[in-house]
Amino acid sequence: MKYPIDIVFVVLVYRNYQDLFHLCKSLKKNVSNPYKVVVVDAFYDENTSRSVKECAEKLGCMYIQVENKGYGYGNNCGIQFARKLFQYQYLVICNPDTELLTFLDVRLLESYGDITAPQITAMNRKRQNPYWAYENKTAEWLLYLGYKYKKRICILLGTGIHKILRYLFIFLHYVTKGRIKHIYACHGSFVILSRNFIETCHFTYDETMFLFYEEAYLAIKARNKKAKICYTKEIQVRHKEDGSMKLAKLKEYPYLRASFLHYYETYRKCSRSRIPFRRKM
């Protein structure tokens, strides 16, 4: 028998368990409905896992340990655990370094539907939602060219198009007083999924994408299932990571590149015959 609960928070932790205290404190203060926190420990070493488990137990969280196989694998384990144990209404995928700043209520979430994207503010005051305001195949194609053939200018152009569209959305959202709220892709640090979306779509992350561009994957899955992603300023989240990336010096670049190439070639079904800048073998 599944335990009835309104909201389940799945928190994937890799070493940085100290942030759990601030996250759980913010949830206790701002979540009115019955909820549970599932801490998914992506194993680093025995000492770290012991500390993560002790922290989770002290905070009254549920704890599971998994192999460190990336964002998708870890969160899938958390989703599967929640589905087996709880009869939930909403499931929140959130990073340990996030904090909920405003009141969260199931009745509020019901007004947004399938997927809710809160206003996420980084420490540098950058707004991280919408991740991609609108679907733009040209921008994605340019990103693909850039990552595939290591053309930095293409990456900058693709990123630039998404930024312009993002600023356009923010402007329209402001002048229409929030009436425009549907976005294409939401930031992955704090995303709220309805039970209906997860169960109807049999949603799981693509575990081949070890890190990065999970937002693009969720967006295309939602689009294909005609599920709506709604942005709202009524729910506000602080994200301690500023999200800034310098492509020239990014240590995670191999993960970034591999994830986008897999996403594009698997879900966009790009035809090689249409791709310029092909190098001779």
Side-chain angles (χ1 to χ4, degrees), residues 258-277:
S259 287
F260 190 83
L261 291 178
H262 173 76
Y263 154 76
Y264 196 90
E265 292 173 351
T266 303
Y267 301 105
R268 283 301 185 190
K269 299 186 184 300
C270 179
S271 171
R272 289 180 179 271
S273 62
R274 296 169 54 193
I275 302 298
F277 307 133

Side-chain angles (χ1 to χ4, degrees), residues 106-169:
V106 164
R107 289 173 296 178
L108 175 64
L109 296 176
E110 287 173 349
S111 65
Y112 292 107
D114 302 305
I115 303 170
T116 305
Q119 178 176 288
I120 302 174
T121 306
M123 297 303 288
N124 62 358
R125 298 186 180 181
K126 176 184 176 182
R127 299 286 173 83
Q128 295 183 322
N129 265 327
Y131 182 77
W132 287 346
Y134 305 102
E135 181 177 19
N136 190 284
K137 294 180 181 180
T138 299
E140 291 189 38
W141 178 67
L142 286 167
L143 287 171
Y144 178 70
L145 292 180
Y147 287 126
K148 183 73 174 178
Y149 302 108
K150 299 181 180 179
K151 300 284 186 178
R152 190 169 184 269
I153 185 64
C154 291
I155 297 176
L156 293 175
L157 286 171
T159 303
I161 290 172
H162 279 304
K163 282 187 176 181
I164 292 170
L165 293 175
R166 183 173 177 274
Y167 292 138
L168 174 63
F169 172 86

Side-chain angles (χ1 to χ4, degrees), residues 55-264:
C55 179
E57 291 175 347
K58 183 176 182 179
L59 292 168
C61 304
M62 307 195 79
Y63 171 87
I64 59 173
Q65 184 188 100
V66 301
E67 294 180 68
N68 179 27
K69 294 183 178 180
Y71 178 97
Y73 176 80
N75 281 308
N76 282 346
C77 290
I79 293 171
Q80 183 180 22
F81 180 84
R83 290 181 66 199
K84 287 183 177 179
L85 199 61
F86 300 112
Q87 186 70 25
Y88 64 91
Q89 294 187 54
Y90 290 91
L91 189 145
V92 183
I93 301 293
C94 55
N95 289 4
D97 62 344
T98 57
E99 294 178 46
L100 181 64
L101 303 179
T102 55
F103 187 69
L104 182 62
D105 180 87
V106 164
R107 289 173 296 178
L108 175 64
L109 296 176
E110 287 173 349
S111 65
Y112 292 107
D114 302 305
I115 303 170
T116 305
Q119 178 176 288
I120 302 174
T121 306
M123 297 303 288
N124 62 358
R125 298 186 180 181
K126 176 184 176 182
R127 299 286 173 83
Q128 295 183 322
N129 265 327
Y131 182 77
W132 287 346
Y134 305 102
E135 181 177 19
N136 190 284
K137 294 180 181 180
T138 299
E140 291 189 38
W141 178 67
L142 286 167
L143 287 171
Y144 178 70
L145 292 180
Y147 287 126
K148 183 73 174 178
Y149 302 108
K150 299 181 180 179
K151 300 284 186 178
R152 190 169 184 269
I153 185 64
C154 291
I155 297 176
L156 293 175
L157 286 171
T159 303
I161 290 172
H162 279 304
K163 282 187 176 181
I164 292 170
L165 293 175
R166 183 173 177 274
Y167 292 138
L168 174 63
F169 172 86
I170 292 172
F171 172 75
L172 292 175
H173 188 270
Y174 173 77
V175 299
T176 61
K177 298 181 179 179
R179 288 194 296 273
I180 296 177
K181 58 185 180 181
H182 291 153
I183 62 174
Y184 178 63
C186 58
H187 200 276
S189 63
F190 199 105
V191 56
I192 306 168
L193 310 175
S194 71
R195 180 175 180 270
N196 179 67
F197 171 74
I198 292 174
E199 300 299 327
T200 301
C201 301
H202 305 286
F203 177 76
T204 56
Y205 287 98
D206 186 331
E207 296 176 9
T208 304
M209 300 169 69
F210 184 86
L211 191 63
F212 298 112
Y213 287 111
E214 302 86 6
E215 295 91 348
Y217 170 79
L218 174 59
I220 204 164
K221 294 291 284 187
R223 188 208 64 178
N224 291 344
K225 295 295 183 179
K226 298 183 173 15
K228 300 294 185 182
I229 301 179
C230 290
Y231 168 73
T232 177
K233 294 173 68 175
E234 290 186 271
I235 305 171
Q236 298 189 18
V237 171
R238 178 188 296 123
H239 188 196
K240 295 177 185 177
E241 180 180 316
D242 65 13
S244 61
M245 294 189 298
K246 297 180 180 179
L247 294 173
K249 299 181 179 180
L250 187 66
K251 292 181 180 179
E252 295 87 353
Y253 179 80
Y255 294 120
L256 191 76
R257 181 175 184 267
S259 287
F260 190 83
L261 291 178
H262 173 76
Y263 154 76
Y264 196 90

Side-chain angles (χ1 to χ4, degrees), residues 13-29:
V13 176
Y14 179 69
R15 301 181 66 181
N16 59 331
Y17 62 90
Q18 295 92 342
D19 287 321
L20 280 172
F21 288 99
H22 298 289
L23 170 61
C24 289
K25 182 179 179 180
S26 73
L27 298 181
K28 185 176 181 179
K29 178 181 178 181

